[in-house]
Amino acid sequence: MNKRRLATALLVLLLLIGCAGCLGVRPEDSGAAPVSPPTLKVLYATVEAGSEAVVHAAENYRRKTGVHVEVSTFPYNSLQEKVFSELSRMSGEYDLIAVDTPWIPKIIRHLEPLTPYIRNSASAGDIDDFIAKLFLDTSVFDKDKPQRAPVAMDTIDLDRITAAGFDVWSLPIQSNVLTVSYRKDLFQNEANRAAFRQRFHRELDIPNTLDEYLDIAKFFTRDTDRDGMIDLYGTTLMAGKHEANFVDYKSFLSDFGGELFDEKLQPVFDSDAGVKALKTYGKWILTEKVTPPDVLSYSWDEVEIAFGYGKAVMGMNYHDMKLQPNVGGQVGYFMFPGVKRGDTLVRGPHFGSWGLAVNKYSEHKAEAFALAGYLTSAEVQRDYLRFRQHVTRKSAYAAARALPDESLREYYDVLGRSLNVGVGRPRIKNYDQVSEAVQTAVQQYLTGKKPADAALHDAAEKVKISMRENGY
């Protein structure tokens, strides 16, 4: 009996050792190597998409979760080349990718649809905190027909989005819209206010229409040092042959009720509204001369320099602009002005946003989505405010109302209201060719090579050919 009991005891001991894992013994206790979280690699832009804020948030994510995040940043053109190259060779090197909206029609088949991840996410309910117009333009596409515009809605409804044949392909991380920075100190100057009232028979206030804006630009265009030369201009424009030129014209076009394409994707920017928009734009430069004389070489960079050094009283750009210390003064902000159509004020500032998309070829797609959710979350976006990031959530704009800096509070108010009326870019694979054709037309008119109607007509014919060549 003793031998039998001893044999039985040994058998039980062996079974217990063999089933150690069943009893909750940890891998490290048994000598197995612990499983470490993956390193997530992010391909991101530089200052144009608020890289400083995002890199800071990624480091916070590592501290909170233990997941190491590597953020590689590239300037716009280099980033576009890198993204297209990585995806064309189906590389899973980068898990999360910053995507500018016009790229999506070209790369959508290389991206992971995010709707299932959103539905399974614990934070899925806060998706309607994103500004709806911005979210729809940035993130919602039909994979088979990316040129289709999504269903309009004031609050994001995932069921309506998918029922209409769309999916979510990114989470909005940063937004841009055309706004106006202005010299608040000069607007509030009592001598200026009295002189303006005498000349225009109204108060010197923030303009709502393009006509009101032009009056103010004419008023402030002057020779301040009385040497016979104009040295202060009313406004800036981005009239160089550049993408900035295209979106400048596009904003004027939208104000006048025009569009780039009709519902059949036929170019219609050479319409009466398109010609009027271009002539108005040209009038400010060529006839009224309320812009600096070298404005035909300006993009967003030159606009910032001209305004910052006190060369212009108002300046249009896609971020808040500051004055150099030696200039002095105070900066305020207002929405891009519109055009009255009956009793309705139509505003059409160009806008666009960056989204965070999950690489279809990543081996860590679920983890990449979790990181995207964190980087675009309400809590993190509120923290982005201290980096002056162009946030994408309504709650972040609400939080901006409590910022101690009055100028920054004003800018976020203008930015948020402008995003709600902004007009996005066409959803086409050949966006760059369309932009190039319109840039050329604007330059041809401004330099006297062609009349406005002829320049736009010729550009529209080029766009028709490009659209056919791209299967539209």
Side-chain angles (χ1 to χ4, degrees):
M1 289 293 292
N2 290 338
K3 289 182 180 179
R4 286 182 182 177
R5 286 178 181 173
L6 179 61
T8 301
L10 288 171
L11 178 60
V12 170
L13 178 61
L14 289 172
L15 287 171
L16 288 173
I17 293 172
C19 200
C22 305
L23 299 176
V25 178
R26 295 172 299 176
E28 55 266 36
D29 294 336
S30 63
V35 178
S36 59
T39 294
L40 297 178
K41 300 185 75 172
V42 181
L43 194 51
Y44 203 74
T46 49
V47 293
E48 61 268 68
S51 54
E52 183 184 8
V54 173
V55 169
H56 176 80
E59 177 58 22
N60 283 343
Y61 188 73
R62 181 194 64 77
R63 285 196 290 266
K64 285 174 180 266
T65 65
V67 176
H68 186 64
V69 181
E70 294 180 4
V71 183
S72 299
T73 60
F74 294 83
Y76 188 91
N77 290 336
S78 299
L79 177 65
Q80 184 176 12
E81 292 175 8
K82 182 72 171 173
V83 169
F84 283 26
S85 172
E86 289 290 320
L87 296 181
S88 66
R89 61 190 183 89
M90 296 186 245
S91 168
E93 176 73 11
Y94 294 93
D95 305 290
L96 202 57
I97 297 172
V99 176
D100 193 15
T101 309
W103 305 351
I104 290 187
K106 284 186 177 181
I107 65 174
I108 192 167
R109 295 186 180 278
H110 300 286
L111 304 179
E112 180 78 357
L114 301 185
T115 304
Y117 297 87
I118 295 171
R119 290 194 190 282
N120 294 327
S121 170
S123 60
D126 72 353
I127 193 172
D128 62 0
D129 185 37
F130 287 108
I131 295 173
K133 189 178 184 69
L134 184 155
F135 184 87
L136 294 169
D137 184 77
T138 308
S139 305
V140 178
F141 285 82
D142 177 343
K143 182 179 71 172
D144 298 319
K145 294 180 179 179
Q147 68 272 18
R148 285 181 62 207
V151 180
M153 55 186 76
D154 294 326
T155 301
I156 299 163
D157 186 328
L158 207 54
D159 290 333
R160 285 183 63 198
I161 288 170
T162 54
F166 295 89
D167 217 322
V168 177
W169 297 90
S170 71
L171 295 179
I173 183 75
Q174 201 264 2
S175 56
N176 295 308
V177 64
L178 188 63
T179 58
V180 185
S181 302
Y182 77 104
R183 291 286 300 276
K184 182 180 279 192
D185 57 306
L186 298 182
F187 270 56
Q188 293 179 344
N189 178 277
E190 286 303 326
N192 286 335
R193 296 183 68 80
F196 186 88
R197 191 182 306 116
Q198 182 177 14
R199 180 173 171 183
F200 293 99
H201 309 292
R202 68 173 194 273
E203 294 299 320
L204 176 55
D205 290 327
I206 287 173
N208 286 313
T209 68
L210 291 177
D211 287 341
E212 291 171 356
Y213 188 100
L214 177 59
D215 284 346
I216 295 171
K218 288 191 292 187
F219 174 75
F220 278 114
T221 299
R222 60 184 67 168
D223 172 14
T224 62
D225 57 10
R226 300 182 181 180
D227 66 351
M229 302 288 290
I230 300 295
D231 52 25
L232 180 65
Y233 293 88
T235 189
T236 60
L237 290 171
M238 296 178 276
K241 190 175 179 301
H242 187 275
E243 170 73 4
N245 153 329
F246 171 61
V247 295
D248 244 10
Y249 168 71
K250 176 178 167 297
S251 299
F252 276 70
L253 173 68
S254 298
D255 267 10
F256 283 103
E259 296 180 316
L260 293 170
F261 294 94
D262 64 15
E263 293 181 354
K264 297 181 179 179
L265 284 182
Q266 291 298 305
V268 291
F269 54 81
D270 58 342
S271 63
D272 290 344
V275 173
K276 188 170 184 179
L278 183 52
K279 285 184 174 180
T280 300
Y281 189 76
K283 176 183 177 182
W284 291 15
I285 299 169
L286 304 173
T287 307
E288 301 294 351
K289 300 185 186 300
V290 295
T291 60
D294 54 346
V295 75
L296 295 187
S297 64
Y298 279 19
S299 68
W300 23 70
D301 294 331
E302 291 76 20
V303 161
E304 182 170 22
I305 293 169
F307 182 82
Y309 280 92
K311 198 173 182 178
V313 174
M314 299 181 289
M316 300 181 188
N317 215 323
Y318 290 87
H319 55 81
D320 56 323
M321 296 195 291
K322 301 299 178 189
L323 296 169
Q324 292 296 316
N326 63 314
V327 175
Q330 182 183 5
V331 180
Y333 308 96
F334 59 82
M335 295 175 70
F336 177 71
V339 171
K340 278 283 189 74
R341 300 178 70 185
D343 294 330
T344 303
L345 178 64
V346 177
R347 297 184 195 261
H350 167 76
F351 90 114
S353 300
W354 290 87
L356 284 177
V358 174
N359 184 354
K360 178 181 176 181
Y361 311 111
S362 166
E363 295 181 358
H364 312 293
K365 290 189 277 288
E367 294 88 346
F369 172 78
L371 175 59
Y374 175 81
L375 294 176
T376 60
S377 66
E379 178 185 358
V380 172
Q381 288 212 11
R382 288 193 294 272
D383 187 58
Y384 284 164
L385 295 175
R386 63 192 176 102
F387 294 94
R388 310 176 86 91
Q389 172 86 339
H390 293 185
V391 289
T392 57
R393 286 183 175 271
K394 291 179 282 189
S395 60
Y397 283 96
R401 298 186 198 122
L403 289 171
D405 186 322
E406 178 187 354
S407 178
L408 200 54
R409 287 200 308 270
E410 185 175 316
Y411 179 69
Y412 273 115
D413 174 66
V414 169
L415 179 63
R417 287 188 289 122
S418 298
L419 288 170
N420 279 292
V421 298
V423 178
R425 288 166 282 196
R427 302 168 154 236
I428 52 178
K429 293 180 289 186
N430 55 326
Y431 172 83
D432 290 342
Q433 291 96 310
V434 172
S435 175
E436 173 76 18
V438 176
Q439 292 172 36
T440 300
V442 172
Q443 276 277 297
Q444 287 173 335
Y445 171 63
L446 295 178
T447 55
K449 292 186 173 109
K450 290 182 181 179
D453 53 354
L456 290 175
H457 173 75
D458 292 347
E461 291 301 311
K462 289 179 184 177
V463 170
K464 285 179 184 177
I465 295 171
S466 176
M467 297 298 284
R468 286 197 299 269
E469 291 174 346
N470 283 275
Y472 295 112

